[in-house]
Amino acid sequence: MNFASTQFVPSRRMGICEPLPQIGMWSDYKENNYLDTSTPAILEVDSRFDNQSEDTSHGIVEPSNKYDQEVSKTNDKQLRRLAQNREAARKCRLRKKAYVQQLENSKLRLMQLEQELERARQQGLYVGGGLDTGQLGYSRTTNPGIATFEMAYGHWVEEQNKKTADLRNALCSDITDLELSSFVDDGMNHYFDLFLMKETAAKADVFYLMSGMWETSAEHFLSWIGGFRPSELLKVLEPHLGPLTEKQSLELSNLKQSCQQAEDALSQGLERLHQILSETVADGLLGEGNYLPQINAALEKLKAMVRFVGQADHLRKETLLQISRNLNNRQAAQGLLALGEYFQRLRVLSSFWTSRPRESS
Amino acid sequence: MQQAIPYKDLLPAATTAANSGITKLVAENPVVVFARSGCCMCHVIKLLLQGHGVNPTIFDINEQNEAATIDEFSKIIDNPEEIADRPPPPFPTVFVGGNLLGGLDEVMAAHISGELVPLLRKAGALWL
Protein backbone atom coordinates (compact mmCIF):
# COMPACT_ATOMS: atom_id res chain seq x y z
CA MET A 1 0.00 0.00 0.00
CA ASN A 2 1.26 3.38 -0.81
CA PHE A 3 1.31 6.03 1.74
CA ALA A 4 1.82 9.29 0.07
CA SER A 5 1.53 11.26 3.22
CA THR A 6 4.56 12.47 4.95
CA GLN A 7 5.60 10.33 7.69
CA PHE A 8 7.74 10.99 10.60
CA VAL A 9 10.02 8.10 10.75
CA PRO A 10 12.23 7.93 13.73
CA SER A 11 15.64 7.49 12.33
CA ARG A 12 17.89 5.56 14.65
CA ARG A 13 20.69 6.37 12.35
CA MET A 14 20.57 9.99 13.15
CA GLY A 15 18.96 9.89 16.50
CA ILE A 16 16.48 12.45 15.28
CA CYS A 17 13.08 12.42 13.89
CA GLU A 18 12.71 14.06 10.60
CA PRO A 19 10.35 13.99 7.76
CA LEU A 20 11.41 11.82 4.91
CA PRO A 21 9.85 13.30 1.84
CA GLN A 22 8.99 11.13 -1.07
CA ILE A 23 9.84 8.06 0.79
CA GLY A 24 7.42 5.29 1.01
CA MET A 25 7.59 2.14 2.93
CA TRP A 26 10.55 -0.13 2.46
CA SER A 27 8.50 -2.91 1.01
CA ASP A 28 7.40 -0.70 -1.88
CA TYR A 29 10.96 -0.07 -2.88
CA LYS A 30 11.84 -3.65 -2.73
CA GLU A 31 8.99 -4.51 -4.95
CA ASN A 32 9.60 -1.70 -7.33
CA ASN A 33 13.27 -2.31 -7.39
CA TYR A 34 14.12 1.28 -6.94
CA LEU A 35 17.41 0.38 -5.48
CA ASP A 36 20.14 0.97 -7.95
CA THR A 37 23.67 -0.37 -7.93
CA SER A 38 25.07 2.50 -5.98
CA THR A 39 22.87 1.87 -3.04
CA PRO A 40 24.80 -1.05 -1.70
CA ALA A 41 27.63 1.34 -0.82
CA ILE A 42 25.30 3.49 1.07
CA LEU A 43 23.63 0.51 2.61
CA GLU A 44 27.03 -0.67 3.81
CA VAL A 45 27.67 2.63 5.40
CA ASP A 46 24.22 2.50 6.80
CA SER A 47 24.69 -0.89 8.31
CA ARG A 48 27.45 0.45 10.49
CA PHE A 49 25.03 2.82 12.04
CA ASP A 50 22.22 0.40 12.19
CA ASN A 51 22.44 -3.33 12.14
CA GLN A 52 18.97 -3.89 10.95
CA SER A 53 18.92 -3.36 7.25
CA GLU A 54 15.15 -3.47 7.26
CA ASP A 55 15.30 -0.05 8.73
CA THR A 56 16.87 1.34 5.65
CA SER A 57 13.87 2.99 4.27
CA HIS A 58 15.23 4.95 1.45
CA GLY A 59 17.15 4.24 -1.65
CA ILE A 60 18.03 7.70 -2.82
CA VAL A 61 21.73 8.24 -3.38
CA GLU A 62 22.09 11.85 -4.17
CA PRO A 63 24.67 13.46 -1.87
CA SER A 64 22.68 16.59 -1.96
CA ASN A 65 20.44 14.90 0.50
CA LYS A 66 21.40 16.03 4.00
CA TYR A 67 21.44 12.54 5.33
CA ASP A 68 23.67 11.37 2.55
CA GLN A 69 26.13 14.17 3.19
CA GLU A 70 26.42 13.04 6.74
CA VAL A 71 26.89 9.52 5.57
CA SER A 72 29.70 10.29 3.14
CA LYS A 73 31.43 12.47 5.73
CA THR A 74 31.32 9.53 8.05
CA ASN A 75 32.44 7.36 5.18
CA ASP A 76 35.53 9.51 4.76
CA LYS A 77 36.28 9.36 8.43
CA GLN A 78 36.03 5.63 8.30
CA LEU A 79 38.32 5.32 5.32
CA ARG A 80 40.86 7.58 6.94
CA ARG A 81 40.74 5.54 10.13
CA LEU A 82 41.30 2.36 8.20
CA ALA A 83 44.22 3.85 6.36
CA GLN A 84 45.85 5.06 9.56
CA ASN A 85 45.37 1.67 11.12
CA ARG A 86 47.07 -0.01 8.17
CA GLU A 87 49.96 2.39 8.40
CA ALA A 88 50.37 1.84 12.13
CA ALA A 89 50.31 -1.94 11.69
CA ARG A 90 52.95 -1.70 9.00
CA LYS A 91 55.21 0.43 11.15
CA CYS A 92 54.74 -1.97 14.05
CA ARG A 93 55.78 -4.91 11.89
CA LEU A 94 58.88 -3.04 10.75
CA ARG A 95 59.82 -2.22 14.34
CA LYS A 96 59.41 -5.84 15.36
CA LYS A 97 61.58 -6.97 12.47
CA ALA A 98 64.30 -4.53 13.49
CA TYR A 99 64.17 -5.73 17.10
CA VAL A 100 64.44 -9.37 16.13
CA GLN A 101 67.37 -8.56 13.90
CA GLN A 102 69.10 -6.84 16.79
CA LEU A 103 68.49 -9.87 19.02
CA GLU A 104 69.97 -12.21 16.43
CA ASN A 105 73.06 -10.06 16.19
CA SER A 106 73.46 -10.04 19.95
CA LYS A 107 73.16 -13.83 20.04
CA LEU A 108 75.90 -14.20 17.44
CA ARG A 109 78.12 -11.84 19.36
CA LEU A 110 77.51 -13.80 22.57
CA MET A 111 78.41 -17.05 20.85
CA GLN A 112 81.62 -15.54 19.57
CA LEU A 113 82.51 -14.29 23.03
CA GLU A 114 81.80 -17.68 24.58
CA GLN A 115 84.04 -19.39 22.06
CA GLU A 116 86.86 -16.94 22.71
CA LEU A 117 86.47 -17.51 26.42
CA GLU A 118 86.61 -21.27 26.00
CA ARG A 119 89.70 -21.04 23.82
CA ALA A 120 91.43 -18.77 26.29
CA ARG A 121 90.60 -21.07 29.19
CA GLN A 122 91.89 -24.12 27.37
CA GLN A 123 95.14 -22.32 26.74
CA GLY A 124 95.46 -21.78 30.43
CA LEU A 125 95.24 -18.01 30.22
CA TYR A 126 93.38 -16.43 33.02
CA VAL A 127 90.17 -14.86 31.78
CA GLY A 128 88.33 -12.57 34.11
CA GLY A 129 84.82 -13.52 35.06
CA GLY A 130 82.56 -16.35 33.99
CA LEU A 131 79.07 -15.72 32.70
CA ASP A 132 77.71 -15.90 36.21
CA THR A 133 80.52 -14.47 38.29
CA GLY A 134 77.98 -12.35 40.11
CA GLN A 135 76.70 -15.39 41.95
CA LEU A 136 80.13 -16.11 43.39
CA GLY A 137 80.10 -12.96 45.40
CA TYR A 138 83.61 -12.11 44.35
CA SER A 139 85.55 -11.99 41.16
CA ARG A 140 88.03 -14.72 40.45
CA THR A 141 90.61 -12.06 39.83
CA THR A 142 90.84 -11.51 43.56
CA ASN A 143 91.46 -15.15 44.45
CA PRO A 144 95.05 -16.01 43.62
CA GLY A 145 94.56 -19.65 44.61
CA ILE A 146 91.92 -20.08 41.94
CA ALA A 147 93.84 -18.10 39.33
CA THR A 148 96.79 -20.39 39.95
CA PHE A 149 94.61 -23.46 39.65
CA GLU A 150 93.06 -22.30 36.37
CA MET A 151 96.45 -21.82 34.79
CA ALA A 152 97.76 -25.09 36.11
CA TYR A 153 94.65 -26.94 34.98
CA GLY A 154 94.97 -25.52 31.47
CA HIS A 155 98.48 -26.95 31.31
CA TRP A 156 97.27 -30.19 32.80
CA VAL A 157 94.73 -30.65 29.99
CA GLU A 158 97.40 -29.97 27.37
CA GLU A 159 99.69 -32.49 29.02
CA GLN A 160 96.85 -34.99 29.23
CA ASN A 161 96.12 -34.75 25.51
CA LYS A 162 99.79 -35.27 24.76
CA LYS A 163 100.04 -38.28 27.04
CA THR A 164 96.93 -39.80 25.49
CA ALA A 165 98.40 -39.46 22.01
CA ASP A 166 101.71 -40.95 23.17
CA LEU A 167 99.92 -43.86 24.81
CA ARG A 168 97.98 -44.54 21.62
CA ASN A 169 101.20 -44.70 19.63
CA ALA A 170 102.84 -46.89 22.25
CA LEU A 171 100.00 -49.42 22.18
CA CYS A 172 100.17 -49.63 18.40
CA SER A 173 103.90 -50.10 18.39
CA ASP A 174 106.07 -53.00 19.44
CA ILE A 175 106.67 -52.03 23.02
CA THR A 176 108.01 -54.07 25.91
CA ASP A 177 105.85 -54.75 28.90
CA LEU A 178 108.22 -52.84 31.12
CA GLU A 179 107.99 -49.75 28.95
CA LEU A 180 104.22 -50.10 28.92
CA SER A 181 104.14 -50.30 32.70
CA SER A 182 106.01 -47.02 32.94
CA PHE A 183 103.42 -45.44 30.62
CA VAL A 184 100.70 -46.73 32.94
CA ASP A 185 102.40 -45.37 36.07
CA ASP A 186 102.95 -42.04 34.37
CA GLY A 187 99.33 -41.85 33.28
CA MET A 188 98.00 -42.72 36.73
CA ASN A 189 100.30 -40.23 38.44
CA HIS A 190 99.07 -37.51 36.14
CA TYR A 191 95.55 -38.01 37.45
CA PHE A 192 96.87 -38.05 41.01
CA ASP A 193 98.61 -34.73 40.30
CA LEU A 194 95.23 -33.29 39.36
CA PHE A 195 93.73 -34.45 42.64
CA LEU A 196 96.53 -32.69 44.53
CA MET A 197 95.93 -29.50 42.55
CA LYS A 198 92.25 -29.73 43.36
CA GLU A 199 93.00 -30.20 47.04
CA THR A 200 94.83 -26.88 47.12
CA ALA A 201 92.12 -25.19 45.07
CA ALA A 202 89.45 -26.51 47.43
CA LYS A 203 91.12 -24.69 50.30
CA ALA A 204 91.12 -21.50 48.21
CA ASP A 205 87.50 -21.83 47.14
CA VAL A 206 85.65 -25.11 47.38
CA PHE A 207 82.55 -23.73 45.67
CA TYR A 208 84.55 -22.90 42.60
CA LEU A 209 85.37 -26.61 42.29
CA MET A 210 81.87 -27.75 43.15
CA SER A 211 80.27 -25.41 40.62
CA GLY A 212 82.26 -27.02 37.84
CA MET A 213 83.45 -23.73 36.42
CA TRP A 214 86.83 -25.27 35.81
CA GLU A 215 85.35 -28.12 33.79
CA THR A 216 83.70 -28.00 30.37
CA SER A 217 79.91 -28.11 30.40
CA ALA A 218 79.53 -31.76 29.38
CA GLU A 219 82.06 -32.88 31.98
CA HIS A 220 80.24 -30.90 34.64
CA PHE A 221 76.90 -32.33 33.59
CA LEU A 222 78.21 -35.83 34.25
CA SER A 223 80.12 -34.94 37.40
CA TRP A 224 79.58 -35.92 41.02
CA ILE A 225 81.03 -33.91 43.91
CA GLY A 226 83.51 -31.97 41.85
CA GLY A 227 84.70 -34.62 39.38
CA PHE A 228 83.92 -37.88 37.61
CA ARG A 229 81.79 -40.53 39.29
CA PRO A 230 84.01 -43.61 39.83
CA SER A 231 81.31 -46.23 39.26
CA GLU A 232 80.28 -44.53 36.00
CA LEU A 233 83.89 -44.53 34.92
CA LEU A 234 84.17 -48.27 35.49
CA LYS A 235 81.12 -48.84 33.30
CA VAL A 236 82.68 -46.72 30.53
CA LEU A 237 86.02 -48.49 30.71
CA GLU A 238 84.92 -52.10 31.08
CA PRO A 239 84.29 -52.95 27.42
CA HIS A 240 87.63 -51.45 26.39
CA LEU A 241 89.98 -53.39 28.63
CA GLY A 242 90.29 -56.27 26.22
CA PRO A 243 89.35 -59.83 27.20
CA LEU A 244 89.16 -60.33 30.98
CA THR A 245 89.68 -63.51 32.95
CA GLU A 246 86.86 -64.73 35.11
CA LYS A 247 88.70 -63.57 38.22
CA GLN A 248 89.19 -60.14 36.70
CA SER A 249 85.53 -59.88 35.76
CA LEU A 250 84.53 -60.78 39.29
CA GLU A 251 86.97 -58.27 40.80
CA LEU A 252 85.66 -55.57 38.50
CA SER A 253 82.10 -56.39 39.44
CA ASN A 254 82.99 -56.20 43.16
CA LEU A 255 84.80 -52.93 42.59
CA LYS A 256 81.77 -51.46 40.84
CA GLN A 257 79.63 -52.39 43.80
CA SER A 258 82.09 -51.03 46.37
CA CYS A 259 82.30 -47.76 44.45
CA GLN A 260 78.55 -47.50 44.38
CA GLN A 261 78.35 -48.04 48.14
CA ALA A 262 81.05 -45.49 48.87
CA GLU A 263 79.44 -42.96 46.52
CA ASP A 264 76.07 -43.44 48.18
CA ALA A 265 77.58 -42.97 51.64
CA LEU A 266 79.29 -39.75 50.57
CA SER A 267 76.19 -38.47 48.78
CA GLN A 268 74.05 -39.07 51.82
CA GLY A 269 76.63 -37.43 54.04
CA LEU A 270 76.54 -34.40 51.78
CA GLU A 271 72.76 -34.29 51.98
CA ARG A 272 73.09 -34.36 55.73
CA LEU A 273 75.44 -31.40 55.51
CA HIS A 274 72.86 -29.52 53.42
CA GLN A 275 70.30 -30.14 56.09
CA ILE A 276 72.56 -29.07 58.93
CA LEU A 277 73.72 -25.97 57.08
CA SER A 278 70.16 -24.96 56.31
CA GLU A 279 69.12 -25.45 59.92
CA THR A 280 72.11 -23.50 61.17
CA VAL A 281 71.43 -20.54 58.92
CA ALA A 282 67.69 -20.60 59.63
CA ASP A 283 68.14 -20.76 63.39
CA GLY A 284 66.31 -17.83 64.92
CA LEU A 285 64.84 -16.28 61.78
CA LEU A 286 62.61 -13.25 62.41
CA GLY A 287 64.41 -12.79 65.68
CA GLU A 288 65.78 -9.50 66.89
CA GLY A 289 69.37 -8.53 67.11
CA ASN A 290 72.21 -9.65 64.94
CA TYR A 291 72.53 -13.09 63.39
CA LEU A 292 76.30 -13.20 63.49
CA PRO A 293 76.39 -16.27 65.74
CA GLN A 294 74.41 -18.20 63.16
CA ILE A 295 76.72 -17.03 60.36
CA ASN A 296 79.75 -18.08 62.35
CA ALA A 297 78.25 -21.45 63.12
CA ALA A 298 77.45 -21.90 59.43
CA LEU A 299 81.03 -20.98 58.48
CA GLU A 300 82.24 -23.88 60.57
CA LYS A 301 79.82 -26.25 58.82
CA LEU A 302 80.89 -25.07 55.39
CA LYS A 303 84.42 -26.20 56.12
CA ALA A 304 83.10 -29.74 55.87
CA MET A 305 82.56 -29.11 52.13
CA VAL A 306 86.30 -29.08 51.62
CA ARG A 307 86.52 -32.51 53.21
CA PHE A 308 83.77 -33.87 50.99
CA VAL A 309 85.53 -32.83 47.79
CA GLY A 310 88.71 -34.29 49.25
CA GLN A 311 86.98 -37.57 50.03
CA ALA A 312 85.46 -37.74 46.55
CA ASP A 313 88.88 -37.26 44.95
CA HIS A 314 90.35 -39.79 47.37
CA LEU A 315 87.71 -42.28 46.23
CA ARG A 316 88.62 -41.58 42.59
CA LYS A 317 92.26 -42.22 43.36
CA GLU A 318 91.61 -45.45 45.26
CA THR A 319 89.37 -46.70 42.47
CA LEU A 320 92.02 -46.07 39.82
CA LEU A 321 94.61 -47.80 41.99
CA GLN A 322 92.38 -50.78 42.56
CA ILE A 323 91.58 -51.27 38.86
CA SER A 324 95.25 -51.19 37.99
CA ARG A 325 95.97 -53.83 40.65
CA ASN A 326 93.60 -56.23 38.92
CA LEU A 327 94.78 -55.67 35.36
CA ASN A 328 97.93 -56.52 33.47
CA ASN A 329 99.96 -53.72 31.93
CA ARG A 330 98.40 -53.90 28.49
CA GLN A 331 94.87 -53.91 29.87
CA ALA A 332 95.69 -51.00 32.17
CA ALA A 333 97.23 -49.07 29.30
CA GLN A 334 94.16 -49.62 27.16
CA GLY A 335 92.00 -48.50 30.05
CA LEU A 336 94.00 -45.29 30.47
CA LEU A 337 93.81 -44.63 26.75
CA ALA A 338 90.05 -45.16 26.74
CA LEU A 339 89.78 -42.80 29.73
CA GLY A 340 91.84 -40.12 28.04
CA GLU A 341 89.81 -40.34 24.85
CA TYR A 342 86.53 -40.29 26.76
CA PHE A 343 87.34 -36.99 28.46
CA GLN A 344 88.69 -35.55 25.23
CA ARG A 345 85.39 -36.33 23.54
CA LEU A 346 83.46 -34.70 26.39
CA ARG A 347 85.53 -31.54 25.98
CA VAL A 348 84.93 -31.51 22.23
CA LEU A 349 81.22 -32.10 22.81
CA SER A 350 81.12 -29.07 25.11
CA SER A 351 82.87 -26.95 22.53
CA PHE A 352 80.46 -28.01 19.78
CA TRP A 353 77.53 -27.34 22.06
CA THR A 354 78.71 -23.83 22.78
CA SER A 355 79.12 -22.98 19.12
CA ARG A 356 76.12 -24.78 17.70
CA PRO A 357 73.83 -22.72 15.39
CA ARG A 358 70.81 -21.58 17.32
CA GLU A 359 67.34 -22.04 15.84
CA SER A 360 65.60 -18.72 15.23
CA SER A 361 62.73 -18.32 17.64
CA MET B 1 71.94 -48.00 66.01
CA GLN B 2 73.44 -47.61 69.43
CA GLN B 3 73.14 -44.35 71.26
CA ALA B 4 76.15 -42.10 71.03
CA ILE B 5 77.71 -41.98 74.48
CA PRO B 6 78.93 -38.59 75.67
CA TYR B 7 82.61 -38.53 76.48
CA LYS B 8 82.24 -37.41 80.06
CA ASP B 9 80.57 -40.67 80.92
CA LEU B 10 83.47 -42.67 79.63
CA LEU B 11 86.53 -41.74 81.64
CA PRO B 12 86.68 -42.41 85.35
CA ALA B 13 88.37 -39.63 87.28
CA ALA B 14 91.77 -41.14 88.05
CA THR B 15 93.06 -43.79 85.75
CA THR B 16 96.22 -45.30 84.51
CA ALA B 17 96.72 -45.75 80.82
CA ALA B 18 96.07 -49.45 81.01
CA ASN B 19 92.81 -48.97 82.83
CA SER B 20 91.64 -45.98 80.85
CA GLY B 21 88.07 -46.17 79.73
CA ILE B 22 88.93 -45.75 76.12
CA THR B 23 91.25 -48.72 76.04
CA LYS B 24 88.58 -50.80 77.66
CA LEU B 25 85.94 -49.64 75.21
CA VAL B 26 88.13 -50.22 72.23
CA ALA B 27 88.95 -53.69 73.46
CA GLU B 28 85.38 -54.62 74.28
CA ASN B 29 83.69 -53.44 71.12
CA PRO B 30 84.64 -54.81 67.72
CA VAL B 31 84.07 -51.55 65.88
CA VAL B 32 84.42 -48.20 67.61
CA VAL B 33 84.09 -44.77 66.05
CA PHE B 34 85.10 -41.58 67.83
CA ALA B 35 83.57 -38.54 66.22
CA ARG B 36 82.67 -34.94 66.90
CA SER B 37 78.99 -34.35 67.49
CA GLY B 38 77.06 -33.60 64.34
CA CYS B 39 80.00 -34.38 62.10
CA CYS B 40 78.87 -35.39 58.62
CA MET B 41 81.97 -37.47 57.98
CA CYS B 42 80.99 -39.64 60.92
CA HIS B 43 77.64 -40.11 59.23
CA VAL B 44 79.45 -41.31 56.09
CA ILE B 45 81.52 -43.85 58.05
CA LYS B 46 78.44 -45.05 59.85
CA LEU B 47 76.57 -45.59 56.56
CA LEU B 48 79.51 -47.42 55.04
CA LEU B 49 79.87 -49.75 58.02
CA GLN B 50 76.15 -50.33 58.28
CA GLY B 51 76.17 -51.23 54.59
CA HIS B 52 78.37 -54.16 55.58
CA GLY B 53 75.92 -55.17 58.26
CA VAL B 54 77.98 -53.76 61.10
CA ASN B 55 76.62 -51.73 63.97
CA PRO B 56 79.51 -49.55 65.12
CA THR B 57 79.74 -48.15 68.64
CA ILE B 58 79.88 -44.41 68.23
CA PHE B 59 81.25 -42.00 70.80
CA ASP B 60 80.46 -38.31 70.55
CA ILE B 61 83.34 -36.07 71.42
CA ASN B 62 82.73 -32.44 72.12
CA GLU B 63 85.28 -29.64 71.94
CA GLN B 64 86.42 -29.67 75.55
CA ASN B 65 87.23 -33.33 75.52
CA GLU B 66 88.95 -33.48 72.16
CA ALA B 67 92.46 -32.91 73.47
CA ALA B 68 92.02 -35.40 76.26
CA THR B 69 90.67 -37.98 73.84
CA ILE B 70 93.59 -37.58 71.50
CA ASP B 71 95.84 -37.92 74.49
CA GLU B 72 94.16 -41.18 75.36
CA PHE B 73 94.56 -42.41 71.82
CA SER B 74 98.30 -41.98 71.96
CA LYS B 75 98.42 -44.19 75.03
CA ILE B 76 96.73 -47.12 73.35
CA ILE B 77 98.13 -47.17 69.90
CA ASP B 78 101.62 -48.26 69.02
CA ASN B 79 102.36 -45.43 66.70
CA PRO B 80 101.05 -42.15 68.17
CA GLU B 81 102.34 -40.16 65.20
CA GLU B 82 99.68 -41.80 63.10
CA ILE B 83 97.07 -39.70 64.79
CA ALA B 84 99.18 -36.61 65.32
CA ASP B 85 100.13 -36.47 61.65
CA ARG B 86 96.58 -36.55 60.42
CA PRO B 87 95.12 -33.21 59.44
CA PRO B 88 93.12 -31.62 62.24
CA PRO B 89 90.70 -32.59 63.39
CA PRO B 90 91.83 -36.19 63.57
CA PHE B 91 88.18 -37.17 63.76
CA PRO B 92 86.42 -39.37 63.00
CA THR B 93 88.74 -42.11 64.20
CA VAL B 94 87.90 -45.77 63.81
CA PHE B 95 89.15 -48.73 65.83
CA VAL B 96 88.51 -52.25 64.60
CA GLY B 97 89.23 -55.27 66.77
CA GLY B 98 91.04 -53.14 69.34
CA ASN B 99 93.41 -51.68 66.76
CA LEU B 100 93.47 -48.30 65.13
CA LEU B 101 92.18 -48.45 61.55
CA GLY B 102 92.32 -44.72 60.93
CA GLY B 103 90.02 -42.03 59.63
CA LEU B 104 87.64 -41.86 56.70
CA ASP B 105 90.54 -42.05 54.23
CA GLU B 106 91.71 -45.36 55.61
CA VAL B 107 88.20 -46.75 55.89
CA MET B 108 87.45 -45.85 52.26
CA ALA B 109 90.72 -47.29 51.04
CA ALA B 110 90.08 -50.55 52.90
CA HIS B 111 86.52 -50.64 51.56
CA ILE B 112 87.61 -50.20 47.93
CA SER B 113 90.51 -52.62 48.13
CA GLY B 114 88.28 -55.25 49.65
CA GLU B 115 90.29 -55.44 52.86
CA LEU B 116 87.58 -54.04 55.09
CA VAL B 117 85.30 -57.06 55.17
CA PRO B 118 87.97 -59.60 56.28
CA LEU B 119 89.07 -57.10 58.91
CA LEU B 120 85.55 -56.79 60.24
CA ARG B 121 85.09 -60.53 60.22
CA LYS B 122 88.30 -61.07 62.14
CA ALA B 123 87.19 -58.58 64.74
CA GLY B 124 83.98 -60.47 65.17
CA ALA B 125 81.83 -57.67 63.86
CA LEU B 126 80.41 -59.82 61.10
CA TRP B 127 78.98 -63.29 61.31
CA LEU B 128 78.36 -63.92 57.63
Side-chain angles (χ1 to χ4, degrees):
Chain A
M1 199 148 86
N2 245 336
F3 291 98
S5 58
T6 316
Q7 288 192 14
F8 281 85
V9 178
S11 170
R12 293 218 297 278
R13 285 182 301 264
M14 319 255 212
I16 53 165
C17 293
E18 76 170 9
L20 295 170
Q22 299 174 350
I23 290 175
M25 293 296 282
W26 169 248
S27 49
D28 291 341
Y29 286 94
K30 259 177 91 172
E31 281 161 24
N32 299 332
N33 212 10
Y34 278 22
L35 304 168
D36 59 23
T37 51
S38 63
T39 9
I42 306 245
L43 283 176
E44 243 180 285
V45 173
D46 282 345
S47 69
R48 270 196 295 285
F49 293 107
D50 187 345
N51 286 330
Q52 290 165 352
S53 50
E54 286 91 307
D55 261 335
T56 311
S57 54
H58 71 90
I60 298 170
V61 248
E62 283 138 27
S64 57
N65 177 289
K66 185 174 176 188
Y67 167 68
D68 286 328
Q69 276 174 355
E70 294 272 351
V71 157
S72 45
K73 264 193 241 169
T74 331
N75 195 12
D76 287 343
K77 273 196 212 160
Q78 275 301 307
L79 289 172
R80 206 173 68 218
R81 190 154 71 75
L82 282 174
Q84 281 174 340
N85 197 345
R86 263 196 302 276
E87 190 54 40
R90 192 177 72 88
K91 287 206 182 122
C92 180
R93 279 192 295 272
L94 285 174
R95 277 200 304 272
K96 180 179 177 183
K97 201 170 162 202
Y99 176 63
V100 169
Q101 193 62 45
Q102 195 189 47
L103 274 183
E104 292 290 335
N105 291 341
S106 300
K107 272 204 263 186
L108 280 171
R109 181 86 186 107
L110 187 64
M111 260 165 54
Q112 278 168 0
L113 286 173
E114 278 178 351
Q115 267 182 302
E116 274 175 40
L117 206 69
E118 193 56 48
R119 242 174 278 137
R121 285 172 92 210
Q122 293 293 346
Q123 285 164 25
L125 300 168
Y126 173 74
V127 184
L131 292 167
D132 55 347
T133 324
Q135 293 165 0
L136 287 182
Y138 76 95
S139 163
R140 280 181 283 162
T141 42
T142 64
N143 194 329
I146 297 302
T148 311
F149 174 78
E150 286 209 306
M151 243 167 41
Y153 181 63
H155 293 142
W156 186 90
V157 171
E158 263 177 44
E159 273 295 306
Q160 184 60 27
N161 291 334
K162 232 165 45 146
K163 285 186 201 290
T164 304
D166 290 343
L167 189 54
R168 191 179 297 119
N169 293 333
L171 277 170
C172 294
S173 71
D174 213 8
I175 190 180
T176 70
D177 201 56
L178 194 63
E179 282 169 316
L180 204 54
S181 106
S182 93
F183 267 100
V184 171
D185 286 340
D186 184 60
M188 301 263 284
N189 284 327
H190 200 231
Y191 283 106
F192 302 161
D193 285 347
L194 178 60
F195 300 148
L196 284 174
M197 281 161 55
K198 283 169 75 184
E199 190 182 337
T200 313
K203 291 188 191 124
D205 180 9
V206 68
F207 293 108
Y208 170 79
L209 282 180
M210 286 289 288
S211 72
M213 282 162 67
W214 58 286
E215 296 173 297
T216 60
S217 43
E219 285 172 302
H220 181 58
F221 176 66
L222 296 174
S223 75
W224 166 82
I225 312 189
F228 64 80
R229 189 184 271 271
S231 60
E232 229 172 64
L233 202 76
L234 291 174
K235 288 187 203 133
V236 165
L237 291 186
E238 193 172 6
H240 305 286
L241 300 171
L244 297 173
T245 68
E246 230 179 271
K247 180 168 181 280
Q248 285 177 326
S249 289
L250 185 62
E251 293 280 359
L252 197 57
S253 172
N254 289 339
L255 183 57
K256 253 192 270 178
Q257 199 185 20
S258 302
C259 273
Q260 200 74 67
Q261 287 169 337
E263 285 162 23
D264 287 346
L266 281 174
S267 293
Q268 285 182 61
L270 198 56
E271 265 179 49
R272 183 97 190 286
L273 183 62
H274 284 178
Q275 214 187 330
I276 292 179
L277 185 71
S278 183
E279 284 169 12
T280 307
V281 170
D283 180 35
L285 280 175
L286 299 181
E288 288 172 24
N290 83 77
Y291 44 82
L292 220 46
Q294 285 90 330
I295 303 296
N296 282 324
L299 273 173
E300 279 306 305
K301 310 290 184 208
L302 279 182
K303 287 179 188 166
M305 277 300 294
V306 180
R307 293 187 75 184
F308 270 102
V309 176
Q311 283 302 321
D313 276 345
H314 176 72
L315 182 62
R316 289 171 190 121
K317 178 173 179 175
E318 291 300 317
T319 305
L320 287 173
L321 281 170
Q322 183 64 14
I323 319 178
S324 68
R325 276 179 212 133
N326 287 329
L327 301 172
N328 64 42
N329 282 320
R330 180 151 285 264
Q331 288 168 326
Q334 276 175 254
L336 274 175
L337 180 59
L339 196 59
E341 283 187 14
Y342 179 65
F343 287 122
Q344 263 177 342
R345 288 189 187 188
L346 286 180
R347 286 192 278 269
V348 169
L349 171 62
S350 304
S351 175
F352 274 44
W353 176 256
T354 310
S355 53
R356 78 193 189 284
R358 309 297 207 269
E359 306 96 50
S360 48
S361 48
Chain B
M1 158 62 189
Q2 295 175 329
Q3 282 283 47
I5 302 173
Y7 177 79
K8 59 176 165 55
D9 298 336
L10 302 180
L11 283 191
T15 59
T16 65
N19 294 335
S20 86
I22 290 196
T23 315
K24 194 154 158 284
L25 288 158
V26 159
E28 283 179 357
N29 297 286
V31 184
V32 180
V33 180
F34 293 93
R36 287 164 142 193
S37 348
C39 170
C40 296
M41 289 301 163
C42 170
H43 191 65
V44 175
I45 285 193
K46 198 180 74 184
L47 287 168
L48 212 54
L49 290 172
Q50 282 173 349
H52 286 291
V54 172
N55 238 347
T57 315
I58 304 187
F59 295 114
D60 259 5
I61 311 290
N62 60 34
E63 278 174 61
Q64 297 100 303
N65 300 314
E66 257 182 53
T69 317
I70 299 171
D71 211 44
E72 288 297 323
F73 285 165
S74 56
K75 290 178 193 153
I76 5 173
I77 57 183
D78 302 322
N79 206 0
E81 292 83 58
E82 268 183 62
I83 296 234
D85 281 346
R86 299 228 316 269
F91 294 112
T93 303
V94 182
F95 287 83
V96 176
N99 296 312
L100 174 71
L101 174 55
L104 188 50
D105 274 3
E106 286 79 12
V107 173
M108 279 290 187
H111 172 77
I112 291 294
S113 66
E115 289 165 2
L116 187 59
V117 171
L119 218 63
L120 292 171
R121 209 175 278 137
K122 207 172 76 162
L126 293 174
W127 290 276
L128 300 164

